[in-house]
Amino acid sequence: MQVRNQIENRQRWMAVLARTKCDDLELAWNKLSIGLHYEWLRRPETGLVLVRGRAGGTGSPFNLGEVTMTRCALRLADGTTGFAFVLGRDQRRAELAAVFDALLQRADDVATESRGLVAQFEAIQASRRELKSRKAASTKVDFFAMARGTSPE
């Protein structure tokens, strides 16, 4: 059960990091102010990924198109590996996301502080989604059809 929770947490953290803007990751990195050495397992590289969709979210899957994605992998000096897959071409963003992925797996004070930063990113993203959802809901139009009938007169 503990391993499952660790996997779910890591998936959640990686999703949050993939959606976080580069400027926010850079600020968080500077806030940590640690001298970190790592080696590249896979330098940041950009390519295309096929995106699939479903009509109405439940229909048959179809190929929607391709999007640009950057990926990388690195290993910290202590052997912890970090991976990142981010949409777009920002190689620095992928690098920082991979560094944070590696830091989050450790069991020290830096990992605890990193988890706090990722929790802040998650809260910011949730509030942005909520705001976007409220804006969309305010423009909702309910259409209805009136039944034609004969006049009682």
Side-chain angles (χ1 to χ4, degrees), residues 112-127:
T112 304
E113 192 172 348
S114 298
R115 286 185 191 100
L117 293 168
V118 171
Q120 290 175 4
F121 296 150
E122 191 171 25
I124 290 168
Q125 291 170 11
S127 67

Side-chain angles (χ1 to χ4, degrees), residues 136-148:
S138 70
T139 64
K140 182 180 177 185
V141 178
D142 289 324
F143 292 96
F144 63 93
M146 295 179 60
R148 290 185 98 166

Side-chain angles (χ1 to χ4, degrees), residues 8-72:
E8 288 173 357
N9 284 336
R10 185 158 183 223
Q11 288 173 343
R12 193 180 86 242
W13 293 331
M14 290 182 81
V16 170
L17 290 169
R19 289 188 302 262
T20 303
K21 296 178 182 177
C22 187
D23 294 340
D24 294 339
L25 287 171
E26 200 73 62
L27 285 171
W29 175 246
N30 292 334
K31 188 184 282 189
L32 285 178
S33 66
I34 57 172
L36 192 65
H37 300 286
Y38 54 86
E39 66 175 308
W40 289 111
L41 299 175
R42 180 185 304 266
R43 288 195 171 277
E45 55 188 22
T46 302
L48 294 175
V49 175
L50 181 65
V51 178
R52 301 195 73 186
R54 290 181 181 269
T58 58
S60 300
F62 63 94
N63 295 337
L64 186 62
E66 293 177 331
V67 295
T68 308
M69 183 201 72
T70 304
R71 68 179 180 179
C72 68

